[in-house]
Amino acid sequence: MNYLTDHPVARRIFNAIRDRPYAWAVSSESPANNCYVKGIELLQRLGVLGYGVRGRVGEICFGDIIPAGIQSLHPSEFLPTHFWVEVWLDGGWHVLDCSYDPPLAEAGLVVNQWDSNRTCFEITRVYSQEDIIAYQMQWEDQGLLCSYFELVAPFACAFNQWLENVRVGPKLVCPEPDAQFPA
């Protein structure tokens, strides 16, 4: 039995969460459908169904697809990180990353299926359980949280706008009507 293909309810949950438009959070007051929000929902919903699940965190490389001008806006004070879910199936952990929504594949971003078994970002360092706990605990510092959102806002706004432009796609330009058109 192929466990990755024989789970229709879990697959529907994954697809529904993945299909919501991804966005990077711009402030702590306005949550976004980022990797953490989408991943936590997937983790909770699969856990309720009885799946063995765990959350993972790692540092990422943005790669060549996201424009360099946007990448340069990410504050160097904060390493870019990513959250994804792993599910225990068929005797092993399988990656479930529902971050990017399907229209973003048009730009070459990694949009996963239930059985893709990969993350949406290139992971340069996977955090240990101890690292994840320390990473999570640091965000209890309200000063750090405020500083993060103040510094990341220009990047987040530019990145979210670029994602929206990818979703909309190229605009059709209609020529102006010819004033000399015969009646």
Side-chain angles (χ1 to χ4, degrees):
M1 175 187 288
N2 184 343
Y3 287 97
L4 283 174
T5 59
D6 296 333
H7 295 269
V9 173
R11 181 189 300 264
R12 280 194 303 274
I13 290 169
F14 174 87
N15 289 343
I17 295 169
R18 180 207 56 207
D19 291 354
R20 293 194 313 247
Y22 175 88
W24 200 287
V26 175
S27 75
S28 60
E29 292 84 35
S30 57
N33 275 312
N34 61 19
C35 61
Y36 184 74
V37 168
K38 290 173 116 180
I40 288 295
E41 182 180 349
L42 180 64
L43 186 136
Q44 290 172 336
R45 291 183 69 186
L46 293 181
V48 167
L49 292 177
Y51 288 90
V53 289
R54 65 182 181 187
R56 301 304 304 262
V57 176
E59 295 167 8
I60 64 170
C61 171
F62 286 118
D64 297 334
I65 296 169
I66 299 167
I70 293 173
Q71 290 186 44
S72 71
L73 296 173
H74 192 278
S76 60
E77 295 88 338
F78 296 98
L79 292 171
T81 57
H82 184 55
F83 180 85
W84 68 96
V85 173
E86 291 182 347
V87 61
W88 184 263
L89 295 173
D90 199 22
W93 290 105
H94 296 272
V95 173
L96 293 176
D97 190 348
C98 58
S99 299
Y100 284 147
D101 50 291
L104 300 180
E106 188 66 32
L109 296 172
V110 175
V111 176
N112 288 316
Q113 305 301 319
W114 164 261
D115 56 355
S116 295
N117 200 28
R118 64 183 178 193
T119 60
C120 291
F121 290 95
E122 178 186 337
I123 306 298
T124 58
R125 178 177 169 241
V126 176
Y127 286 6
S128 68
Q129 187 64 31
E130 293 79 21
D131 292 335
I132 292 171
I133 292 168
Y135 178 79
Q136 190 171 19
M137 296 294 293
Q138 76 177 351
W139 297 111
E140 292 181 11
D141 177 347
Q142 289 302 304
L144 180 68
L145 198 59
C146 289
S147 175
Y148 171 79
F149 281 111
E150 181 180 317
L151 294 173
V152 83
F155 164 80
C157 289
F159 184 52
N160 291 345
Q161 184 59 59
W162 179 74
L163 294 173
E164 197 52 40
N165 292 343
V166 169
R167 287 184 193 100
V168 171
K171 301 271 192 241
L172 290 176
V173 178
C174 296
E176 289 296 318
D178 186 4
Q180 304 298 324
F181 190 77

